[in-house]
């Protein structure tokens, strides 16, 4: 009896650990008493301010600290920004926790976990209409339409109230696989009462409705049909609906299909095995067989739609791919929109392709891409259908969250019932009423090579400095007997000026002048002060002469 009372009296805590500061690393904790459920565990790719970083994960310290409460992990769909942190999280958990998701999503996750040698994960397949109880938290799953099959939303019931999390969605009436949003379930949940709605904000700044995925097919077919030679199509490897349309267009044009790129090979294999991607075996050829066919009989599906330097498209554009290369007369279709921050990388790839002589199609030229996220009218429809008492926009940058909040006010949700949070901030629900809760530790975790952890901001700052202005090493040879610096030798890497005799003479004079002005202890214990003086003096000298600030590495050698 006491335990039941405790569960009923404990508030429902909703704690976003990621997903509210960009398009990526989605992760939200739902905690009620002694029970906790995690919805999504995604990653984000680094931007220009994070040189050398491979991946960015949400800081899931709170989950590890409360591991004994964790009853399950729910994954709404199979994109990296919702699944990518799972291998790292599972490695850090002491106990195996069940993972609930659709068949295709679990297939993608299984391939990812196999790379990390995580054996026998506790998979629990669910679909629209499934129901699970995880302690005092019960979850109903409902189908949603996105750019990948098997996308789900969740309706979460707790003793303190009900929450609906839409997952990523758009209201597509003609989806490629025929699975439309489950309007009946959404309406049923609305009648039962939705105390808090958490809804996808990615396209909250885009007016109107998002076009149907089915509208892309005719444009892809036209571009492939009119191509005089080979066609290369770059897309997200998890965008199975798009890959199906590419394959359908290729087959209609009598072309064979080549698949290249590690994630593209893996995901097409998984999707075909599970029945989500229909490509007859005879229409797929190996990349090594490409020279055996006429060029107007080939379509290559590859990764690289975001300009990633190590992707198949970038390697082919730069002549670095081990089996495929591009030449004048090829057609390239970039079937995606750059994620914010990737625009520069995508444009560089397009320019490289143009220099080769490729004919490049992107969304600015013809309809070779539509978004998988609902625009303003769809977001307003979701708000109108669900009629939530409280609203929290999720999945987006600050501008998207605030735009979504404005839409919510337009459809009648009071401003004081709308919560725009940062990662780590929390909501608490008691008896259907929602208010701000106590924040928890949050932030990001960097994957840097084989190292996973909090990369020191000083390290990132140093990398930026090296990338911008290079590095100069100054070796000061100090005579402890004569108590003076006998000579200074300079070398540089990545600097915009020449380290010649004139530079060496002038820089040495500047440093010597500063040393003479100060009082330094020319002993082994005084080298730290000498080192700092050399660094500061040389930095000022280079700034005055070149207006650059390379990293200065001072070395003091005692003789």
């Amino acid at each position: 009896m006491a335990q039941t009372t405790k569960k009923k009296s404990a508030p429902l805590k909703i704690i976003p650990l990621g997903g509210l500061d960009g398009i990526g690393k989605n992760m939200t904790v739902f905690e009620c008493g002694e029970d906790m459920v995690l919805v999504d565990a995604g990653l984000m790719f680094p931007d220009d301010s994070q040189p050398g970083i491979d991946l960015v994960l949400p800081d899931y310290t709170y989950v590890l600290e409360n591991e004994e409460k964790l009853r399950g992990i729910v994954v709404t769909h199979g994109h990296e920004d919702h699944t990518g942190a799972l291998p790292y999280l599972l490695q850090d958990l002491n106990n195996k926790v069940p993972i609930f998701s659709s068949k295709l999503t679990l297939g993608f996750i299984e391939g990812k976990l196999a790379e990390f040698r995580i054996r026998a994960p506790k998979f629990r397949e669910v679909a629209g209409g499934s129901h699970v109880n995880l302690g005092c938290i019960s979850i109903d799953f409902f189908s949603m339409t996105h750019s990948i099959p098997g996308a789900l939303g969740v309706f979460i019931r707790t003793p303190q109230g009900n929450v609906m999390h839409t997952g990523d969605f758009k209201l597509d009436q003609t989806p490629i696989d025929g699975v439309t949003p489950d309007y009946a379930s959404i309406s049923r949940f609305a009648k039962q009462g939705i105390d808090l709605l958490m809804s996808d904000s990615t396209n909250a700044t885009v007016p109107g409705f998002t076009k149907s995925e089915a509208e892309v097919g005719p444009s892809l077919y036209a571009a492939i049909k009119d191509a005089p030679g080979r066609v290369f199509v770059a897309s997200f490897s998890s965008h199975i609906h798009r890959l199906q349309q590419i394959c359908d267009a290729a087959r209609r044009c009598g072309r064979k299909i080549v698949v290249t790129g590690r994630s593209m090979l893996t995901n097409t294999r998984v999707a075909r095995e599970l029945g989500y991607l229909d490509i007859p075996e005879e229409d797929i050829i190996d990349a090594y067989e490409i020279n055996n066919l006429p060029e107007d009989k080939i379509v290559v599906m590859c990764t690289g739609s975001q300009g990633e330097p190590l992707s198949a498209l970038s390697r082919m554009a730069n002549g670095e791919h081990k089996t495929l290369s591009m030449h004048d007369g090829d057609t390239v279709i970039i079937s995606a929109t750059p994620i914010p921050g990737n625009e520069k990388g995508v444009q560089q790839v397009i320019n490289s392709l143009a220099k080769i002589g490729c004919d490049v199609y992107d969304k600015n030229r013809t309809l070779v891409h539509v978004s998988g996220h609902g625009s303003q009218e769809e977001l307003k429809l979701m708000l109108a259908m669900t009629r939530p008492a409280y609203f929290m926009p999720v999945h987006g940058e600050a501008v998207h969250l605030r735009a979504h909040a404005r839409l919510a006010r337009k459809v009648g949700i009071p401003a004081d019932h709308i919560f725009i949070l940062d990662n780590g901030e929390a909501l608490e629900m008691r008896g259907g009423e929602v208010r701000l809760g106590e924040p928890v530790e949050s932030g990001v975790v960097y994957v840097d090579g084989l190292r996973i952890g909090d990369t020191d901001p000083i390290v990132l700052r140093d990398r930026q400095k090296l990338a911008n202005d290079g590095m100069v090493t100054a070796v000061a040879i100090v005579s402890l007997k004569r108590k003076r610096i006998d000579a200074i030798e300079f070398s540089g890497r990545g600097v915009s000026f020449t380290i010649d005799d004139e530079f060496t003479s002038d820089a040495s004079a500047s440093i010597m002048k500063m040393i003479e002005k100060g009082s330094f202890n020319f002993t082994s214990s005084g080298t730290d002060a000498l080192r700092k003086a050399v660094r500061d003096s040389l930095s000022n000298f280079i700034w005055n002469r070149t207006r650059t600030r390379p990293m200065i590495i001072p070395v003091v050698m005692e003789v």
Side-chain angles (χ1 to χ4, degrees):
M1 177 67 88
Q3 181 68 19
T4 305
T5 306
K6 184 179 178 183
K7 283 189 177 182
K8 285 186 177 178
S9 63
L12 170 66
K13 297 178 183 177
I14 301 108
I15 310 167
L17 297 177
L20 301 186
D21 59 347
I23 311 296
K25 58 183 176 62
N26 298 282
M27 181 181 284
T28 308
V29 169
F30 293 85
E31 180 184 349
C32 192
E34 297 304 309
D35 301 308
M36 187 169 79
V37 173
L38 192 65
V39 174
D40 291 328
L43 57 73
M44 197 171 185
F45 294 101
D47 58 30
D48 290 343
S49 68
Q50 297 158 331
I53 300 299
D54 298 311
L55 302 170
V56 183
L57 313 177
D59 185 347
Y60 46 76
T61 302
Y62 186 81
V63 178
L64 301 180
E65 289 175 346
N66 295 275
E67 179 181 351
E68 73 284 354
K69 295 183 180 182
L70 187 59
R71 305 289 172 246
I73 300 172
V74 171
V75 182
T76 56
H77 65 278
H79 284 155
E80 288 277 357
D81 59 333
H82 294 257
T83 66
L86 268 174
Y88 304 96
L89 174 61
L90 295 179
Q91 284 177 330
D92 288 339
L93 289 171
N94 293 313
N95 300 314
K96 286 192 175 180
V97 178
I99 301 170
F100 299 87
S101 199
S102 61
K103 182 193 291 187
L104 179 65
T105 305
L106 292 179
F108 285 170
I109 293 171
E110 185 175 25
K112 190 181 300 292
L113 298 187
E115 292 178 19
F116 285 76
R117 297 180 181 173
I118 298 174
R119 303 191 182 280
K122 294 174 73 172
F123 286 156
R124 302 289 184 268
E125 184 183 325
V126 292
S130 296
H131 175 89
V132 296
N133 291 317
L134 299 171
C136 67
I137 300 172
S138 65
I139 300 175
D140 290 285
F141 296 86
F142 57 96
S143 297
M144 291 298 280
T145 305
H146 187 38
S147 54
I148 185 172
L152 299 168
V154 290
F155 182 61
I156 301 170
R157 293 186 178 91
T158 75
Q160 298 293 356
N162 303 330
V163 181
M164 178 182 283
H165 191 308
T166 65
D168 289 7
F169 79 95
K170 69 177 182 179
L171 302 180
D172 193 340
Q173 312 311 312
T174 54
I176 300 304
D177 60 0
V179 180
T180 55
D182 189 349
Y183 298 112
S185 290
I186 294 170
S187 299
R188 186 172 74 254
F189 299 142
K191 286 179 182 175
Q192 294 172 12
I194 297 171
D195 298 303
L196 174 68
L197 173 68
M198 301 169 67
S199 183
D200 175 13
S201 307
T202 308
N203 276 353
T205 58
V206 181
F209 290 86
T210 301
K211 290 180 181 290
S212 170
E213 178 65 29
E215 295 188 38
V216 176
S219 297
L220 287 171
Y221 171 71
I224 293 172
K225 179 172 66 71
D226 294 340
R230 301 178 301 173
V231 179
F232 296 80
V233 188
S235 177
F236 284 115
S237 61
S238 56
H239 198 335
I240 303 303
H241 293 324
R242 185 68 45 78
L243 302 185
Q244 183 66 66
Q245 295 200 94
I246 295 166
C247 294
D248 291 344
R251 293 174 63 202
R252 282 181 64 193
C253 296
R255 292 177 181 251
K256 298 295 184 183
I257 300 152
V258 177
V259 181
T260 186
R262 187 169 60 90
S263 63
M264 187 69 77
L265 285 163
T266 301
N267 289 352
T268 52
R269 176 184 57 77
V270 170
R272 289 179 68 216
E273 288 173 355
L274 297 178
Y276 288 95
L277 188 59
D278 179 21
I279 319 174
E281 195 67 42
E282 62 269 17
D283 287 321
I284 297 182
I285 64 169
D286 190 270
Y288 290 100
E289 302 171 24
I290 197 168
N291 295 325
N292 299 331
L293 285 176
E295 294 199 341
D296 61 354
K297 297 297 180 186
I298 295 165
V299 169
V300 178
M301 294 197 308
C302 61
T303 54
S305 63
Q306 297 302 308
E308 309 94 321
L310 298 181
S311 66
L313 182 64
S314 294
R315 287 179 184 273
M316 288 186 287
N318 296 325
E320 297 169 354
H321 196 279
K322 62 181 179 180
T323 52
L324 297 168
S325 60
M326 292 180 170
H327 56 68
D328 188 6
D330 288 340
T331 297
V332 179
I333 301 172
I334 298 178
S335 187
T337 295
I339 294 170
N342 291 355
E343 296 89 351
K344 189 187 296 183
V346 173
Q347 192 59 47
Q348 285 175 346
V349 171
I350 291 174
N351 286 331
S352 297
L353 296 168
K355 287 178 182 178
I356 295 170
C358 297
D359 189 14
V360 182
Y361 287 80
D362 63 8
K363 70 183 185 69
N364 297 319
R365 179 173 172 183
T366 186
L367 190 66
V368 292
H369 173 72
V370 295
S371 175
H373 301 268
S375 298
Q376 289 180 350
E377 296 307 312
E378 289 152 281
L379 301 183
K380 287 194 283 188
L381 269 172
M382 179 59 71
L383 287 158
M385 283 190 294
T386 53
R387 304 188 303 278
Y390 296 86
F391 175 60
M392 175 182 165
V394 295
H395 200 289
E397 299 176 340
V399 64
H400 305 119
L401 303 181
R402 280 155 180 76
H404 205 171
R406 287 194 294 272
L407 296 177
R409 289 196 293 273
K410 283 183 179 179
V411 301
I413 297 179
D416 60 351
H417 282 211
I418 299 171
F419 296 93
I420 300 174
L421 301 190
D422 287 325
N423 296 326
E425 293 183 337
L427 295 181
E428 284 191 1
M429 181 186 291
R430 290 180 186 269
E433 293 188 0
V434 180
R435 63 177 180 81
L436 286 173
E438 289 294 319
V440 306
E441 182 180 341
S442 70
V444 295
V445 174
Y446 295 111
V447 179
D448 186 350
L450 294 176
R451 183 178 177 277
I452 302 163
D454 302 323
T455 297
D456 194 319
I458 295 172
V459 174
L460 293 181
R461 187 196 67 197
D462 286 348
R463 289 178 180 178
Q464 290 167 2
K465 206 168 185 179
L466 285 167
N468 292 331
D469 295 322
M471 174 186 75
V472 174
T473 302
V475 180
I477 300 168
V478 176
S479 171
L480 299 182
K481 186 180 291 186
R482 290 192 293 271
K483 298 190 180 303
R484 66 172 191 170
I485 295 177
D486 283 344
I488 306 175
E489 296 178 0
F490 302 95
S491 62
R493 290 289 184 273
V495 293
S496 57
F497 49 87
T498 303
I499 298 180
D500 52 15
D501 291 344
E502 181 187 353
F503 175 93
T504 299
S505 174
D506 292 348
S508 297
S510 175
I511 293 170
M512 296 290 198
K513 189 175 179 181
M514 183 174 180
I515 297 294
E516 287 168 6
K517 282 183 180 178
S519 56
F520 292 94
N521 180 13
F522 282 86
T523 63
S524 294
S525 60
T527 54
D528 283 347
L530 280 170
R531 197 177 293 116
K532 183 178 185 305
V534 169
R535 183 178 62 239
D536 293 346
S537 178
L538 181 57
S539 180
N540 291 335
F541 170 79
I542 293 174
W543 172 255
N544 291 329
R545 174 169 286 206
T546 68
R547 285 297 186 266
T548 62
R549 288 205 183 277
M551 178 183 286
I552 307 295
I553 300 180
V555 179
V556 174
M557 293 184 64
E558 305 162 15
V559 294

